Amino acid sequence: MTTPHDTTPQYPFTAVVGMDDLRLALLLNAVSPAVGGVLVRGEKGTAKSTAVRALSALMPAVDVVAGCRFACAPAAPDPGCPDGPHGTGAAEERPTRMVELPVGASEDRLVGALDIERALSEGVKAFEPGLLADAHRGILYVDEVNLLHDHLVDLLLDAAAMGASYVEREGVSVRHAARFLLVGTMNPEEGELRPQLLDRFGLTVEVAASREPGLRVEVVRRRLAYDADPAGFAARWADEEDALRRRIAVARALLPDVTLGDAALRQIAATCAAFEVDGMRADIVMARTATALAAWAGRTRVEEEDVRRAALLALPHRRRRNPFDAPGLDEDKLDRTLEEFGADRDPDGGDDPEPEPEGPDDGPGGGGPDGGGCPPQEGGPDGSAAAPELPHQQEPETPREQPAAPGQDGEAGQAQEPAGQSAPGAGGETAAVGATEPFRTRRLDVPGLGEGADGRRSRARTAHGRTTGARRPHGALGKLHLAATVQAAAPHQRVRGRSGPGLVVRRDDLREAVREGREGNLVLFVVDASGSMAARKRMSAVKGAVLSLLLDAYQRRDKIGMITFRGTGAELALPPTSSVEAGAARLEQLPTGGRTPLSEGLLRAHEVLRVERMRDASRRPLVVVVTDGRATGGPEPVVRAARAARLLAGAGTASVVVDCEAGPVRLGLAGELARELQGTAITLDELRADSVSALVRTVQGNRKAA
């Protein structure tokens, strides 16, 4: 949807406190839209959306062809515009549009809708433009972009790559230009973006609420003042907004005159190579960003500090990394690379720029009229005076190892394992161990045919995929099944008085295609962290297996949750979420020790799934129990574990038991647990995709056999 046309003014951009990197990234895109947009990552409640929406008021107005729904430029109209061809008609000026794409939008709302009934019966291309048409030559803003459905992501990728949107419906095609500035905000706790879409954002910034009490007080003071009198608050900041708007115009005019020397280009290329970014888009974005930084600072030459700041904005989300790693750059490595390839200055004999002090500036682009910052903010502390440190400058904290209790080290555990007994309670806790290297796992499916969110795991009826049949549409027509529609309309042509070549089609004749694709599931891990698992130092391999399954869930667009059990009970270590990074972090810190309350882990899984079914009934669960099958905690542990397993099976929950038992003598307890769950048991070796047995044993096949 487009920004609402009401009388309430937007919160002023210059009134935003702190968040220097976010403000700078947005302003650079206002100066040079070719930079490619911004992805804003940060915790909830940090004014990400407020800052983005305020940007639209600073963007210069655009000239459009009067009456064109696709915002064609009068000087160079789109020759394929559905409203064209445009002659030398009147032009009009309008503000730059900020168009918001809701995460739950339909495909037709995004790309536009074509009236298939009129196209078949009259041969008329009756096209209703979508959000991509509204955003042409403007800003397309996606809040919570990481929650956007995959089919919408695919459409965004196509439009961003081609600069145009195509609507194809059974041989009827409409094309229009769609070039826009893509801005997205997201909370990383809810999961990451697909790499293809991530790469389409020119810049990325991390935002976090300041821990400085003075800044927090000023944020609250300004927000309360705005809520009490939006018009009056905006009027108090009008001069600063006008000054910033003029500065953007000046920087835009200066941009073509900025020189990007060979020395700066070498630094850009060397930096991208040093951080092993994929492709060449990073080099191009860095060059455009450095040029925009120079223009923003009022200079006509790109300096080393411009290259450095461009790298901090353009590379964190592009460097080659494990999906579980936090984005960011090693700034020491960046400085060494810039120094190494900046020693030989411009071979054309240009003067060396004055060295800049290392570290962050006082504000966006330098903290003042000559340094590239925003205008000073009156009425409270200057946001640039105490800007919070960039999250990507902080190294992740290493989990503290917990010392093993006397008599509960690995050797003692080995002595106790044959009897299946560990020290009672959680007092036998041992230090957390690291995981082995993850590997590619076999796909674990949920049997049957679901109707959940698009993903890549289990079979489901989806809006995309192979066509398996036709049906009458429920509500708005989806994908037309042309053959079934013609077959339904054909017997009635004589009665309807058909006289020409066109087919007389009524609404009741329309049939939509039924398609089968794959869905994402809720994968709930139930991990045995008892002393029996640590006895033979298997926990490292077990963590490696769970980490591999987490990586598989990330790639298949699943939600994940994690329950651990040890000592006397079970703990929901990670509530169901789309953030597999959070799961990996919890797994890394998982200690082991104590008895094995298997029943408590299964009962906790049943309760978590009961709640999740009420929240999202269409997302089918898959329970993955990682254990050796022992049950030693609580009264009648074996009997209680069997009852809990039958409770899960009775609810129709698909399950897999990853058998972690090792040694020459095996009791087969994990297999018995799988039979009670009406699931299947696989060993750690069989979990690997390249395992021979994995090719012939599937969850679905074993469930049918049961």
Side-chain angles (χ1 to χ4, degrees), residues 359-578:
D361 294 345
D362 290 336
D370 297 329
C374 287
Q377 300 181 358
E378 299 177 0
D382 188 310
S384 62
E389 185 179 8
L390 282 174
H392 64 246
Q393 293 173 341
Q394 302 173 355
E395 292 295 328
E397 191 174 296
T398 304
R400 296 178 181 175
E401 292 191 351
Q402 304 177 9
Q408 296 300 324
D409 57 14
E411 297 300 323
Q414 289 185 24
Q416 295 176 7
E417 185 179 3
Q421 302 289 327
S422 298
E429 183 177 292
T430 60
V433 298
T436 58
E437 285 295 317
F439 51 85
R440 189 168 66 90
T441 66
R442 55 185 285 191
R443 185 174 67 203
L444 306 176
D445 293 357
V446 176
L449 192 63
E451 295 184 349
D454 286 347
R456 301 173 185 171
R457 183 172 297 278
S458 305
R459 294 174 55 227
R461 295 187 182 93
T462 61
H464 301 81
R466 63 186 182 90
T467 300
T468 59
R471 66 182 178 188
R472 291 180 182 271
H474 303 294
L477 177 67
K479 296 288 186 180
L480 180 76
H481 195 296
L482 182 59
T485 298
V486 172
Q487 185 177 6
H492 309 291
Q493 296 305 295
R494 180 176 298 177
V495 176
R496 293 173 182 174
R498 174 185 172 186
S499 58
L503 189 67
V504 182
V505 179
R506 303 285 171 80
R507 178 69 185 176
D508 291 342
D509 301 327
L510 298 179
R511 299 292 185 272
E512 66 180 4
V514 176
R515 297 173 181 267
E516 182 178 311
R518 292 199 173 270
E519 66 178 359
N521 298 109
L522 167 59
V523 183
L524 183 61
F525 295 95
V526 183
V527 182
D528 186 348
S530 64
S532 66
M533 296 289 289
R536 301 193 180 188
K537 299 182 179 179
R538 288 171 286 165
M539 204 59 196
S540 181
V542 168
K543 285 187 176 182
V546 177
L547 193 64
S548 302
L549 289 167
L550 284 171
L551 179 59
D552 182 67
Y554 166 80
Q555 294 169 339
R556 299 190 187 281
R557 316 300 292 173
D558 294 317
K559 289 182 68 175
I560 60 111
M562 185 181 299
I563 293 171
T564 62
F565 59 93
R566 62 188 177 92
T568 59
E571 175 189 2
L572 180 60
L574 182 69
T577 176
S578 297

Side-chain angles (χ1 to χ4, degrees), residues 64 163 198 294 395:
V64 299
L198 192 63
E395 292 295 328

